[in-house]
PDB file of all heavy atoms in Angstrom:
ATOM      1  N   LYS A  73    -208.554 -51.562-104.399  1.00 97.00           N
ATOM      2  CA  LYS A  73    -208.217 -52.002-102.986  1.00 97.00           C
ATOM      3  C   LYS A  73    -206.742 -51.636-102.697  1.00 97.00           C
ATOM      4  O   LYS A  73    -205.823 -52.350-103.032  1.00 97.00           O
ATOM      5  CB  LYS A  73    -208.463 -53.475-102.908  1.00 97.00           C
ATOM      6  CG  LYS A  73    -209.817 -53.986-103.231  1.00 97.00           C
ATOM      7  CD  LYS A  73    -210.927 -53.354-102.346  1.00 97.00           C
ATOM      8  CE  LYS A  73    -212.326 -53.822-102.778  1.00 97.00           C
ATOM      9  NZ  LYS A  73    -213.423 -53.104-102.094  1.00 97.00           N
ATOM     10  N   ALA A  77    -206.968 -46.927 -98.927  1.00 97.00           N
ATOM     11  CA  ALA A  77    -208.424 -47.130 -98.798  1.00 97.00           C
ATOM     12  C   ALA A  77    -208.644 -48.087 -97.583  1.00 97.00           C
ATOM     13  O   ALA A  77    -209.844 -48.427 -97.294  1.00 97.00           O
ATOM     14  CB  ALA A  77    -209.005 -47.612-100.003  1.00 97.00           C
ATOM     15  N   PHE A  78    -207.526 -48.636 -96.994  1.00 97.00           N
ATOM     16  CA  PHE A  78    -207.772 -49.611 -95.949  1.00 97.00           C
ATOM     17  C   PHE A  78    -207.857 -49.006 -94.586  1.00 97.00           C
ATOM     18  O   PHE A  78    -206.890 -48.216 -94.272  1.00 97.00           O
ATOM     19  CB  PHE A  78    -206.564 -50.695 -96.054  1.00 97.00           C
ATOM     20  CG  PHE A  78    -206.903 -51.887 -95.142  1.00 97.00           C
ATOM     21  CD1 PHE A  78    -207.621 -52.939 -95.656  1.00 97.00           C
ATOM     22  CD2 PHE A  78    -206.370 -52.007 -93.874  1.00 97.00           C
ATOM     23  CE1 PHE A  78    -207.882 -54.075 -94.902  1.00 97.00           C
ATOM     24  CE2 PHE A  78    -206.563 -53.054 -93.086  1.00 97.00           C
ATOM     25  CZ  PHE A  78    -207.370 -54.165 -93.546  1.00 97.00           C
ATOM     26  N   ASP A  79    -208.827 -49.268 -93.836  1.00 96.00           N
ATOM     27  CA  ASP A  79    -209.002 -48.579 -92.513  1.00 96.00           C
ATOM     28  C   ASP A  79    -208.367 -49.590 -91.497  1.00 96.00           C
ATOM     29  O   ASP A  79    -208.931 -50.516 -91.104  1.00 96.00           O
ATOM     30  CB  ASP A  79    -210.483 -48.486 -92.252  1.00 96.00           C
ATOM     31  CG  ASP A  79    -210.866 -48.042 -90.822  1.00 96.00           C
ATOM     32  OD1 ASP A  79    -209.866 -47.609 -90.192  1.00 96.00           O
ATOM     33  OD2 ASP A  79    -211.990 -48.033 -90.469  1.00 96.00           O
ATOM     34  N   PHE A  80    -207.103 -49.137 -91.078  1.00 96.00           N
ATOM     35  CA  PHE A  80    -206.407 -49.999 -90.156  1.00 96.00           C
ATOM     36  C   PHE A  80    -206.991 -50.000 -88.743  1.00 96.00           C
ATOM     37  O   PHE A  80    -206.846 -50.976 -87.996  1.00 96.00           O
ATOM     38  CB  PHE A  80    -204.962 -49.596 -90.107  1.00 96.00           C
ATOM     39  CG  PHE A  80    -204.109 -50.035 -91.192  1.00 96.00           C
ATOM     40  CD1 PHE A  80    -204.034 -49.359 -92.413  1.00 96.00           C
ATOM     41  CD2 PHE A  80    -203.471 -51.320 -91.135  1.00 96.00           C
ATOM     42  CE1 PHE A  80    -203.242 -49.870 -93.508  1.00 96.00           C
ATOM     43  CE2 PHE A  80    -202.751 -51.807 -92.183  1.00 96.00           C
ATOM     44  CZ  PHE A  80    -202.630 -51.073 -93.371  1.00 96.00           C
ATOM     45  N   ALA A  82    -209.946 -50.491 -88.098  1.00 94.00           N
ATOM     46  CA  ALA A  82    -210.958 -51.603 -88.087  1.00 94.00           C
ATOM     47  C   ALA A  82    -210.288 -53.000 -87.727  1.00 94.00           C
ATOM     48  O   ALA A  82    -211.057 -53.856 -87.445  1.00 94.00           O
ATOM     49  CB  ALA A  82    -211.640 -51.643 -89.371  1.00 94.00           C
ATOM     50  N   VAL A  83    -209.046 -53.059 -87.864  1.00 95.00           N
ATOM     51  CA  VAL A  83    -208.300 -54.320 -87.543  1.00 95.00           C
ATOM     52  C   VAL A  83    -207.241 -54.066 -86.496  1.00 95.00           C
ATOM     53  O   VAL A  83    -206.103 -53.848 -86.950  1.00 95.00           O
ATOM     54  CB  VAL A  83    -207.782 -54.885 -88.844  1.00 95.00           C
ATOM     55  CG1 VAL A  83    -207.417 -56.370 -88.609  1.00 95.00           C
ATOM     56  CG2 VAL A  83    -208.719 -54.873 -89.993  1.00 95.00           C
ATOM     57  N   GLY A 111    -208.458 -64.734 -91.254  1.00 95.00           N
ATOM     58  CA  GLY A 111    -209.598 -64.002 -90.622  1.00 95.00           C
ATOM     59  C   GLY A 111    -210.866 -64.531 -91.220  1.00 95.00           C
ATOM     60  O   GLY A 111    -210.848 -65.053 -92.318  1.00 95.00           O
ATOM     61  N   PRO A 112    -212.035 -64.279 -90.495  1.00 95.00           N
ATOM     62  CA  PRO A 112    -213.276 -64.709 -91.087  1.00 95.00           C
ATOM     63  C   PRO A 112    -213.698 -63.923 -92.305  1.00 95.00           C
ATOM     64  O   PRO A 112    -213.049 -62.922 -92.699  1.00 95.00           O
ATOM     65  CB  PRO A 112    -214.214 -64.400 -89.941  1.00 95.00           C
ATOM     66  CG  PRO A 112    -213.540 -63.406 -89.121  1.00 95.00           C
ATOM     67  CD  PRO A 112    -212.078 -63.561 -89.244  1.00 95.00           C
ATOM     68  N   PRO A 113    -214.681 -64.375 -93.110  1.00 95.00           N
ATOM     69  CA  PRO A 113    -215.068 -63.648 -94.298  1.00 95.00           C
ATOM     70  C   PRO A 113    -215.482 -62.202 -93.961  1.00 95.00           C
ATOM     71  O   PRO A 113    -216.000 -61.915 -92.947  1.00 95.00           O
ATOM     72  CB  PRO A 113    -216.409 -64.399 -94.679  1.00 95.00           C
ATOM     73  CG  PRO A 113    -216.218 -65.809 -94.093  1.00 95.00           C
ATOM     74  CD  PRO A 113    -215.401 -65.624 -92.858  1.00 95.00           C
ATOM     75  N   GLY A 114    -215.029 -61.340 -94.831  1.00 95.00           N
ATOM     76  CA  GLY A 114    -215.319 -59.883 -94.655  1.00 95.00           C
ATOM     77  C   GLY A 114    -214.346 -59.152 -93.742  1.00 95.00           C
ATOM     78  O   GLY A 114    -214.484 -57.886 -93.522  1.00 95.00           O
ATOM     79  N   SER A 115    -213.361 -59.841 -93.326  1.00 96.00           N
ATOM     80  CA  SER A 115    -212.353 -59.138 -92.340  1.00 96.00           C
ATOM     81  C   SER A 115    -211.282 -58.386 -93.046  1.00 96.00           C
ATOM     82  O   SER A 115    -210.478 -57.680 -92.458  1.00 96.00           O
ATOM     83  CB  SER A 115    -211.736 -60.201 -91.404  1.00 96.00           C
ATOM     84  OG  SER A 115    -210.991 -61.188 -92.168  1.00 96.00           O
ATOM     85  N   GLY A 116    -211.363 -58.395 -94.461  1.00 97.00           N
ATOM     86  CA  GLY A 116    -210.395 -57.541 -95.153  1.00 97.00           C
ATOM     87  C   GLY A 116    -209.196 -58.194 -95.734  1.00 97.00           C
ATOM     88  O   GLY A 116    -208.233 -57.531 -96.164  1.00 97.00           O
ATOM     89  N   LYS A 117    -209.158 -59.540 -95.738  1.00 97.00           N
ATOM     90  CA  LYS A 117    -207.981 -60.253 -96.226  1.00 97.00           C
ATOM     91  C   LYS A 117    -207.656 -59.909 -97.669  1.00 97.00           C
ATOM     92  O   LYS A 117    -206.575 -59.709 -98.100  1.00 97.00           O
ATOM     93  CB  LYS A 117    -208.163 -61.806 -96.057  1.00 97.00           C
ATOM     94  CG  LYS A 117    -208.457 -62.240 -94.628  1.00 97.00           C
ATOM     95  CD  LYS A 117    -208.617 -63.689 -94.524  1.00 97.00           C
ATOM     96  CE  LYS A 117    -209.801 -64.191 -95.329  1.00 97.00           C
ATOM     97  NZ  LYS A 117    -211.138 -63.789 -94.864  1.00 97.00           N
ATOM     98  N   THR A 118    -208.719 -60.026 -98.495  1.00 98.00           N
ATOM     99  CA  THR A 118    -208.511 -59.902 -99.938  1.00 98.00           C
ATOM    100  C   THR A 118    -208.062 -58.369-100.202  1.00 98.00           C
ATOM    101  O   THR A 118    -207.236 -58.119-100.982  1.00 98.00           O
ATOM    102  CB  THR A 118    -209.774 -60.253-100.742  1.00 98.00           C
ATOM    103  OG1 THR A 118    -210.161 -61.580-100.490  1.00 98.00           O
ATOM    104  CG2 THR A 118    -209.660 -59.954-102.214  1.00 98.00           C
ATOM    105  N   HIS A 119    -208.738 -57.503 -99.496  1.00 98.00           N
ATOM    106  CA  HIS A 119    -208.403 -56.030 -99.675  1.00 98.00           C
ATOM    107  C   HIS A 119    -206.906 -55.858 -99.286  1.00 98.00           C
ATOM    108  O   HIS A 119    -206.128 -55.227-100.109  1.00 98.00           O
ATOM    109  CB  HIS A 119    -209.300 -55.214 -98.762  1.00 98.00           C
ATOM    110  CG  HIS A 119    -209.183 -53.765 -98.969  1.00 98.00           C
ATOM    111  ND1 HIS A 119    -210.155 -52.929 -98.859  1.00 98.00           N
ATOM    112  CD2 HIS A 119    -208.031 -52.982 -99.226  1.00 98.00           C
ATOM    113  CE1 HIS A 119    -209.771 -51.656 -99.090  1.00 98.00           C
ATOM    114  NE2 HIS A 119    -208.453 -51.722 -99.310  1.00 98.00           N
ATOM    115  N   LEU A 120    -206.479 -56.415 -98.176  1.00 98.00           N
ATOM    116  CA  LEU A 120    -205.094 -56.224 -97.680  1.00 98.00           C
ATOM    117  C   LEU A 120    -204.111 -56.805 -98.733  1.00 98.00           C
ATOM    118  O   LEU A 120    -203.113 -56.210 -99.062  1.00 98.00           O
ATOM    119  CB  LEU A 120    -204.972 -56.883 -96.317  1.00 98.00           C
ATOM    120  CG  LEU A 120    -203.546 -56.776 -95.779  1.00 98.00           C
ATOM    121  CD1 LEU A 120    -203.172 -55.256 -95.314  1.00 98.00           C
ATOM    122  CD2 LEU A 120    -203.341 -57.644 -94.550  1.00 98.00           C
ATOM    123  N   ASP A 172    -205.452 -66.403-102.852  1.00 98.00           N
ATOM    124  CA  ASP A 172    -206.538 -65.897-102.125  1.00 98.00           C
ATOM    125  C   ASP A 172    -207.437 -67.047-101.776  1.00 98.00           C
ATOM    126  O   ASP A 172    -207.724 -67.900-102.669  1.00 98.00           O
ATOM    127  CB  ASP A 172    -207.281 -64.799-102.906  1.00 98.00           C
ATOM    128  CG  ASP A 172    -208.128 -63.917-102.045  1.00 98.00           C
ATOM    129  OD1 ASP A 172    -207.865 -63.925-100.745  1.00 98.00           O
ATOM    130  OD2 ASP A 172    -209.097 -63.253-102.520  1.00 98.00           O
ATOM    131  N   ASP A 173    -207.940 -67.074-100.572  1.00 96.00           N
ATOM    132  CA  ASP A 173    -208.930 -68.105-100.110  1.00 96.00           C
ATOM    133  C   ASP A 173    -208.480 -69.533-100.247  1.00 96.00           C
ATOM    134  O   ASP A 173    -209.066 -70.308-100.993  1.00 96.00           O
ATOM    135  CB  ASP A 173    -210.250 -67.928-100.872  1.00 96.00           C
ATOM    136  CG  ASP A 173    -211.180 -66.855-100.202  1.00 96.00           C
ATOM    137  OD1 ASP A 173    -211.068 -66.704 -99.058  1.00 96.00           O
ATOM    138  OD2 ASP A 173    -211.821 -66.138-101.021  1.00 96.00           O
ATOM    139  N   TYR A 242    -216.252 -56.492 -92.124  1.00 88.00           N
ATOM    140  CA  TYR A 242    -216.360 -55.034 -92.328  1.00 88.00           C
ATOM    141  C   TYR A 242    -217.556 -54.581 -93.079  1.00 88.00           C
ATOM    142  O   TYR A 242    -218.156 -53.649 -92.780  1.00 88.00           O
ATOM    143  CB  TYR A 242    -215.105 -54.656 -93.289  1.00 88.00           C
ATOM    144  CG  TYR A 242    -214.906 -53.217 -93.379  1.00 88.00           C
ATOM    145  CD1 TYR A 242    -214.005 -52.512 -92.431  1.00 88.00           C
ATOM    146  CD2 TYR A 242    -215.374 -52.430 -94.458  1.00 88.00           C
ATOM    147  CE1 TYR A 242    -213.752 -51.175 -92.535  1.00 88.00           C
ATOM    148  CE2 TYR A 242    -215.066 -51.114 -94.529  1.00 88.00           C
ATOM    149  CZ  TYR A 242    -214.318 -50.512 -93.597  1.00 88.00           C
ATOM    150  OH  TYR A 242    -214.085 -49.102 -93.634  1.00 88.00           O
ATOM    151  N   ARG A 243    -218.004 -55.462 -93.943  1.00 82.00           N
ATOM    152  CA  ARG A 243    -219.300 -55.240 -94.716  1.00 82.00           C
ATOM    153  C   ARG A 243    -220.493 -55.093 -93.655  1.00 82.00           C
ATOM    154  O   ARG A 243    -221.322 -54.206 -93.841  1.00 82.00           O
ATOM    155  CB  ARG A 243    -219.658 -56.423 -95.676  1.00 82.00           C
ATOM    156  CG  ARG A 243    -219.015 -56.215 -97.010  1.00 82.00           C
ATOM    157  CD  ARG A 243    -219.432 -57.322 -97.941  1.00 82.00           C
ATOM    158  NE  ARG A 243    -218.854 -58.615 -97.519  1.00 82.00           N
ATOM    159  CZ  ARG A 243    -217.871 -59.230 -98.133  1.00 82.00           C
ATOM    160  NH1 ARG A 243    -217.449 -58.706 -99.304  1.00 82.00           N
ATOM    161  NH2 ARG A 243    -217.449 -60.405 -97.778  1.00 82.00           N
TER     162      ARG A 243
HETATM  163  P1  LIG B   1    -212.329 -61.017 -96.924  1.00 56.86           P
HETATM  164  O1  LIG B   1    -211.377 -61.239 -98.125  1.00 56.86           O
HETATM  165  O2  LIG B   1    -211.593 -61.221 -95.661  1.00 56.86           O
HETATM  166  O3  LIG B   1    -213.539 -61.907 -96.962  1.00 56.86           O
HETATM  167  P2  LIG B   1    -212.604 -58.390 -98.130  1.00 56.86           P
HETATM  168  O4  LIG B   1    -211.206 -57.911 -98.262  1.00 56.86           O
HETATM  169  O5  LIG B   1    -213.233 -58.904 -99.365  1.00 56.86           O
HETATM  170  O6  LIG B   1    -212.736 -59.494 -96.917  1.00 56.86           O
HETATM  171  O7  LIG B   1    -213.525 -57.310 -97.499  1.00 56.86           O
HETATM  172  C1  LIG B   1    -214.934 -57.203 -97.742  1.00 56.86           C
HETATM  173  C2  LIG B   1    -215.218 -55.740 -98.104  1.00 56.86           C
HETATM  174  O8  LIG B   1    -215.007 -54.874 -97.009  1.00 56.86           O
HETATM  175  C3  LIG B   1    -214.386 -55.217 -99.288  1.00 56.86           C
HETATM  176  O9  LIG B   1    -215.183 -54.331 -99.997  1.00 56.86           O
HETATM  177  C4  LIG B   1    -213.260 -54.478 -98.609  1.00 56.86           C
HETATM  178  O10 LIG B   1    -212.727 -53.436 -99.429  1.00 56.86           O
HETATM  179  C5  LIG B   1    -213.964 -53.972 -97.336  1.00 56.86           C
HETATM  180  N1  LIG B   1    -213.018 -53.917 -96.180  1.00 56.86           N
HETATM  181  C6  LIG B   1    -212.733 -54.912 -95.356  1.00 56.86           C
HETATM  182  N2  LIG B   1    -211.915 -54.505 -94.356  1.00 56.86           N
HETATM  183  C7  LIG B   1    -211.700 -53.179 -94.593  1.00 56.86           C
HETATM  184  C8  LIG B   1    -210.870 -52.196 -93.914  1.00 56.86           C
HETATM  185  N3  LIG B   1    -210.197 -52.520 -92.859  1.00 56.86           N
HETATM  186  N4  LIG B   1    -210.931 -50.994 -94.466  1.00 56.86           N
HETATM  187  C9  LIG B   1    -211.661 -50.699 -95.589  1.00 56.86           C
HETATM  188  N5  LIG B   1    -212.380 -51.566 -96.240  1.00 56.86           N
HETATM  189  C10 LIG B   1    -212.368 -52.838 -95.826  1.00 56.86           C
END
Side-chain angles (χ1 to χ4, degrees):
K73 306 298 178 190
F78 192 83
D79 174 12
F80 280 90
V83 196
S115 58
K117 303 179 299 296
T118 299
H119 187 144
L120 179 71
D172 200 21
D173 279 326
Y242 193 85
R243 273 184 291 253

